[in-house]
Amino acid sequence: IPHRVHGAATPVGSGIARARRLLAHHAEPSRTEVASMIRAVAARWHLDPKLALAVSWQESGFNMREVSPVGAIGTMQVMPYTGAYLSDQVVHRRLDLFEARDNITAGVALLSVLTHEAKSERQAVAGYYQGLQSVRDHGMYRSTKQYVANVMALRAPF
């Protein structure tokens, strides 16, 4: 499954500015609305909603207008190429990462696939952050270990 590796070289600059402009023209749901959408989408994907909520909170604080320095978009911080892969291979419809429900669908679908492919839930969360193949090949980077710990701790309040 293609996904971002934090800190990896990615075309940035104009792509990030474009993403921010596009997001500025979309309705921004409240944090309560985002959380509600995450719960609903997670239920459809048979994914623990607390896990999806914790990942989204860690990634963006439920902020649909978030664009990372490497170009990850929205509340679930999905890279455009990951969204395209998920559209074609997993969801089987075009996902618009600039629309909250599609962004959430992409992130939840990715988490669902990862929880089925990884050896453990912790490895699935690491795969969301670092890329599952990278985790398998290199183990969890220090930043990935911290990310996983944060996500696991964030689950409880949800």
Side-chain angles (χ1 to χ4, degrees), residues 5-133:
V5 176
H6 288 273
T10 310
V12 292
S14 64
I16 292 171
R18 178 181 175 274
R20 288 188 176 129
R21 281 193 308 275
L22 287 169
L23 285 169
H25 295 305
H26 284 79
E28 182 178 12
S30 70
R31 286 180 173 169
T32 301
E33 291 168 326
V34 167
S36 178
M37 283 188 263
I38 291 170
R39 285 184 190 95
V41 173
R44 281 197 300 278
W45 282 88
H46 307 288
L47 182 74
D48 176 5
K50 289 183 174 196
L51 180 63
L53 288 162
V55 166
S56 180
W57 186 259
Q58 175 67 28
E59 289 286 343
S60 71
F62 298 160
N63 180 2
M64 191 52 212
R65 300 214 185 212
E66 185 71 27
V67 180
S68 80
V70 295
I73 298 166
T75 189
M76 298 302 289
Q77 289 293 279
V78 179
M79 292 296 290
Y81 58 83
T82 303
Y85 167 81
L86 292 163
S87 291
D88 293 343
Q89 303 297 317
V90 179
V91 179
H92 307 294
R93 70 173 176 82
R94 184 183 173 280
L95 294 171
D96 180 353
L97 297 180
F98 298 97
E99 292 292 337
R101 189 162 303 276
D102 279 358
N103 188 280
I104 291 165
T105 297
V108 168
L110 178 59
L111 271 172
S112 179
V113 168
L114 289 168
T115 59
H116 288 93
E117 290 188 4
K119 291 180 181 177
S120 68
E121 193 171 69
R122 294 179 71 80
Q123 188 184 55
V125 171
Y128 194 90
Y129 181 81
Q130 182 180 320
L132 186 56
Q133 194 59 51

